Amino acid sequence: MSSSEKIALAARMHVLLRRKTGRVTDTEWMASNAEYAAEIVRFSHDYAATENHPDLAELADKLSCLMLPPPQSRPTYKKPDLIPVSQGLIRYVKGLR
Amino acid sequence: MRLLNVKQRPQPPRIACCRVDFSRPWRVETCPTQATHVSNFGVSLLYKVVRLISLFTVLMNVHFGSTAQGLTPTHPTLAAQSSINSADTAWVLTSTALVLLMTLPGIALFYGGMIRRKNVINTLASVVAIAALVTLLWFAVGYSLAFTPGNLWLGGTDRLWFAGLDYLKDSGQVAVSHIAPNLPESVFAMFQLSFAIITAALIVGAVVERMLFSALLWFIGLWSVLVYAPIAHWVWEPGGWLAQMGVLDFAGGSVVHINAGVTGLVCAYVLGPRKGYGLEPFQPFNLGLTMVGAGLLWVGWFGFNAGSALAADGRAGLAMAVTQIAAAAGAFFWMLGEWVVRGRPSLLGLCSGLVAGLVAITPAAGFVTPRSALLIGAVAGLACYWGTTGLKRLLNADDSLDVFGVHGIGGIVGSLLTGVLANKSISGMPSSLTAQLTGVAIVVIYSGLMSALLMWLTRVWTGLRVDDASEQTGLDISLHREQLGT
């Protein structure tokens, strides 16, 4: 997604957090810094769970997908040269055997 | 010695004035007063001629008749057809066909299944072309240089263009080699040709996917004459210096496998790695083909090892048995090793392991017991697994299909274990680990140095590698304008 879309989503999160929790957030920093975005997501999820705000949780999920990297999938083979490939081919790099 | 003065010296007969008719030395028309001297001269000449004729007769007797008289020939010769053993001949004929099957299509399929799809046709074509090229060169010069007596280093020229490989129906004679006087020499020469072909074809596995087809043919042509033929002479011709040193190599552990393995490794270094090597997976085209090829190799190896007995006898039977045991042990122990290290076995591992076992038993097949064969196969299975994984990373050469890891390491393991495990009651001769080590070292050094030199020469003559675009497109299209079916 483009940076304008990130800023738009961060702005929506800023408004919702201000309305629901009273917190003031930095919209531009939320759209550019992954650590700050991660903390906003964590706080939002906690508050949504305790205060029952599903719309806040949903928006936090969207922000998480946009700003945070996906979790690393663990390789299924022990050899370090077997690199996982999207098609499922995980052998034959730097050697056949 | 006191010099005599002129008067005391005996005077030689003065025949300078006479015209001596050498066609009739006992008669001189022009000098009747010198008849006595001339007659003495004639008798002397006649005596010399008779001596020459006698010597010639003796030599011809030795050359042609020694087999009939029961003397061991020391060079190729003509023998009575009745002296040929039909059973041995039939078995070696069959073995020749089996060994040729190992190349066509055994090695072709074994390699073709492991390579990427875009280079399969080039790999198959390389094997076929090499079979044709080596055949012609063997016929022209290779056989004579390898298997005729010459000196310690190289054979003679007696059998250039297969000269003298005669079958004479009228006189009932056939040419035989001194190495196998029980067989027609044509059969022996063809059997050895099949070995020369497969040795050269093995090298293809190290250079695939990036070498120019013309460069490969030039290199293999030079290599088969300047590397394979001399090494075969050293090890297998009784006058060869490694044979005289006591190096044991029943069917080609050093001549074929170490030689091909080292050559492949050197070629891989000189060529450089394929584009994308170590960065992207090189998916084998079809491991089913590899398995079919491995099966042909396994069965054909009975001709390779048992055929090297050059007789249909107990030694051939023993060689067949130990070959099977070693192949099975190699496959099993490679599979075990892979299972422990990688967590699961693989078809490629099984096929590679059986070949490793076959390679290792090759120098020992006619000299060891079945139990020793089990040990040889097991050690080879594990050693070659390491050779194609850990050692390959250490060497850091793109030996595409692991020619050195399987054939080089397997040949070295087998040759050294032959020195340890060869049984004198089977082989009839003593074994020496020192001699085996020496033989291995000599072959490695000579093969490596000469291969590097020949690669340099080939690079100067034609260049070695295809360009990057051709390599990316695939050699099937870029070199042959052919493609596998959709």
Side-chain angles (χ1 to χ4, degrees), chain B residues 195 236 249-258 304-305 308 359 362-363 415:
Chain B
F195 280 64
W236 282 334
D249 187 354
F250 187 73
S254 54
V255 178
V256 175
H257 299 291
I258 297 178
F304 201 93
N305 285 355
S308 291
V359 168
T362 296
S415 294

Side-chain angles (χ1 to χ4, degrees), chain B residues 76 134 136-163 165 177-179 185 188-189 192-193 196 220-241 255 446 450:
Chain B
V134 172
L136 295 175
L137 289 172
W138 190 253
F139 161 64
V141 297
Y143 174 67
S144 191
L145 293 180
F147 286 103
T148 58
N151 53 39
L152 292 171
W153 313 101
L154 203 59
T157 55
D158 298 342
R159 288 292 191 255
L160 294 182
W161 304 100
F162 274 12
L165 250 71
S177 169
H178 55 301
I179 301 171
E185 192 175 4
F188 178 73
Q192 295 301 335
L193 166 61
I220 292 295
L222 292 169
W223 182 89
S224 72
V225 175
L226 299 176
V227 181
Y228 180 81
I231 293 177
H233 183 80
W234 298 347
V235 178
W236 282 334
E237 214 285 330
W241 67 291
V255 178
Y446 182 78
M450 283 299 293

Side-chain angles (χ1 to χ4, degrees), chain B residues 14 27 42 75 112 123 160 194 201 240 252 268 278 290 302 315 385 413 454:
Chain B
R14 293 178 183 276
R27 290 177 62 83
H75 53 84
T123 304
L160 294 182
S194 64
T290 297
F302 294 139
R315 185 188 295 278
Y385 178 65
V413 165
L454 294 178

Side-chain angles (χ1 to χ4, degrees), chain B residues 154-437:
Chain B
L154 203 59
T157 55
D158 298 342
R159 288 292 191 255
L160 294 182
W161 304 100
F162 274 12
L165 250 71
D166 294 327
Y167 171 76
L168 304 173
K169 182 175 169 53
D170 290 342
S171 61
Q173 290 181 309
V174 62
V176 297
S177 169
H178 55 301
I179 301 171
N182 54 322
L183 307 172
E185 192 175 4
S186 54
V187 176
F188 178 73
M190 283 298 301
F191 183 64
Q192 295 301 335
L193 166 61
S194 64
F195 280 64
I197 289 172
I198 193 170
T199 309
L202 289 174
I203 299 169
V204 169
V207 304
V208 282
E209 300 199 299
R210 58 207 191 279
M211 191 167 184
L212 279 168
F213 192 69
S214 57
L216 177 66
L217 294 183
W218 275 112
F219 173 78
I220 292 295
L222 292 169
W223 182 89
S224 72
V225 175
L226 299 176
V227 181
Y228 180 81
I231 293 177
H233 183 80
W234 298 347
V235 178
W236 282 334
E237 214 285 330
W241 67 291
L242 290 180
Q244 303 230 338
M245 194 189 295
V247 173
L248 297 180
D249 187 354
F250 187 73
S254 54
V255 178
V256 175
H257 299 291
I258 297 178
N259 195 4
V262 170
T263 299
L265 183 65
V266 168
C267 290
Y269 273 127
V270 173
L271 276 171
R274 291 165 287 177
K275 299 296 177 208
Y277 176 68
L279 302 174
E280 60 188 76
F282 289 172
Q283 172 75 12
F285 167 59
N286 186 337
L287 290 179
L289 293 182
T290 297
M291 181 262 151
V292 172
L296 284 165
L297 288 174
W298 191 338
V299 175
W301 223 287
F302 294 139
F304 201 93
N305 285 355
S308 291
L310 300 176
D313 62 2
R315 185 188 295 278
L318 178 67
M320 187 179 219
V322 300
T323 297
Q324 180 73 5
I325 292 168
F332 188 80
F333 279 86
W334 182 305
M335 178 184 67
L336 272 184
E338 191 176 30
W339 214 327
V340 167
V341 173
R342 287 186 181 268
R344 61 197 69 187
S346 66
L347 174 61
L348 183 57
L350 281 165
C351 294
S352 305
L354 75 91
V355 173
L358 290 167
V359 168
I361 196 62
T362 296
F367 306 136
V368 297
T369 63
R371 290 183 190 179
S372 297
L374 175 64
L375 177 63
I376 290 173
V379 172
L382 294 171
C384 292
Y385 178 65
W386 171 74
T388 58
T389 52
L391 178 63
K392 182 170 184 171
R393 284 190 287 274
L394 276 174
L395 293 174
N396 199 28
D398 184 10
D399 179 358
S400 311
L401 304 182
D402 299 318
V403 178
F404 180 74
V406 176
H407 296 274
I409 295 296
I412 291 171
V413 165
S415 294
L416 296 181
L417 287 177
T418 301
V420 175
L421 298 172
N423 192 321
K424 191 177 176 185
S425 63
I426 301 174
S427 65
M429 58 189 83
S431 62
S432 161
L433 182 58
T434 306
Q436 297 302 109
L437 266 169

